[in-house]
Amino acid sequence: MAESGADASSEIRDAVRAVLDDPAGGRTRIPTLLAALDEDDRESRLSAAWALTLVATANPDLVEAVTRRLADRLGADALQLETRHALDYLSGRYPERVDGVLEELVAEADERDRRRRYLELSQGFAPSDYVGQAERNRDVGRTQTQAEAGSASPR
């Protein structure tokens, strides 16, 4: 939402109205509503948080995704009451699902912290599975027998 304040407020109001008209169809408005949580206007933040809970309630398959995004925002700014209210509402409505997402986020943060500390202590030397694992080709440098390669001729 890199628009002027009046345009952003108008876009937020339109998104909230669209969610009121059709909460289930409000899934397309989630990016606007999440961005609205960063606005300076308290009314816009409250409206967006409330609308996000409506969308998540109307689309239970989105509870985990919305929870993750709210938790990310809450981690960045712990004083944001509107985000807390939305997260608390979802937690009260879907306690097991929200708790599961929050536990995953804590585990991910712990793993990142553990790897960061290990890299700091090892002065850049780390086990191969810590850095670039997805980019490695495990077949490079490995030999295959003729039968494994699917060829009857020698290589």
Side-chain angles (χ1 to χ4, degrees), residues 146 151-155:
Q146 291 177 356
S151 173
S153 64
R155 292 188 183 214

Side-chain angles (χ1 to χ4, degrees), residues 78-108:
L79 300 177
Q80 203 177 63
L81 293 175
E82 297 80 11
T83 303
R84 278 188 188 193
H85 288 307
L87 195 55
D88 285 344
Y89 176 82
L90 291 176
S91 180
R93 182 97 183 199
Y94 306 99
E96 296 86 17
R97 294 169 75 182
V98 171
D99 287 347
V101 170
L102 296 178
E103 288 170 4
E104 284 176 21
L105 290 171
V106 167
E108 289 170 9

Side-chain angles (χ1 to χ4, degrees), residues 1 5 13-14 23 28 31 44 49 52 64-65 69 72-73 76 88 91 94 99 110 113 117 123 140 142 145 149:
M1 292 180 48
R13 278 194 303 275
D14 291 346
T28 60
S44 294
L52 279 167
E64 287 85 357
R69 298 296 301 272
D72 287 344
R73 280 189 160 33
D88 285 344
S91 180
Y94 306 99
D99 287 347
D110 288 346
D113 188 49
R117 281 182 295 163
Q123 298 177 357
V140 173
R142 298 181 187 246
T145 64

Side-chain angles (χ1 to χ4, degrees), residues 25-38:
R27 65 189 319 131
T28 60
R29 302 294 186 143
I30 290 176
T32 302
L33 297 172
L34 286 168
L37 294 174
D38 295 329

Side-chain angles (χ1 to χ4, degrees), residues 9-151:
S9 293
S10 170
E11 186 179 354
I12 294 166
R13 278 194 303 275
D14 291 346
V16 171
R17 285 188 184 122
V19 168
L20 283 174
D21 290 340
D22 182 18
R27 65 189 319 131
T28 60
R29 302 294 186 143
I30 290 176
T32 302
L33 297 172
L34 286 168
L37 294 174
D38 295 329
E39 290 292 314
D40 292 332
D41 179 36
R42 183 179 57 87
E43 183 179 314
S44 294
R45 291 191 315 266
L46 281 169
S47 298
W50 176 68
L52 279 167
T53 61
L54 283 176
V55 172
T57 302
N59 299 284
D61 60 310
L62 294 176
V63 169
E64 287 85 357
V66 170
T67 298
R68 185 174 280 276
R69 298 296 301 272
L70 289 172
D72 287 344
R73 280 189 160 33
L74 190 59
D77 183 8
L79 300 177
Q80 203 177 63
L81 293 175
E82 297 80 11
T83 303
R84 278 188 188 193
H85 288 307
L87 195 55
D88 285 344
Y89 176 82
L90 291 176
S91 180
R93 182 97 183 199
Y94 306 99
E96 296 86 17
R97 294 169 75 182
V98 171
D99 287 347
V101 170
L102 296 178
E103 288 170 4
E104 284 176 21
L105 290 171
V106 167
E108 289 170 9
D110 288 346
E111 179 65 15
R112 278 192 308 272
D113 188 49
R114 185 179 69 79
R115 287 179 182 227
R116 181 191 52 76
R117 281 182 295 163
Y118 184 85
L119 287 172
E120 286 174 1
L121 291 173
S122 65
Q123 298 177 357
F125 293 98
S128 61
D129 68 329
Y130 274 34
V131 184
Q133 180 69 14
E135 300 169 7
R136 291 179 47 196
N137 184 351
R138 309 260 320 147
D139 291 332
V140 173
R142 298 181 187 246
T143 59
Q144 295 180 339
T145 64
Q146 291 177 356
E148 290 174 343
S151 173

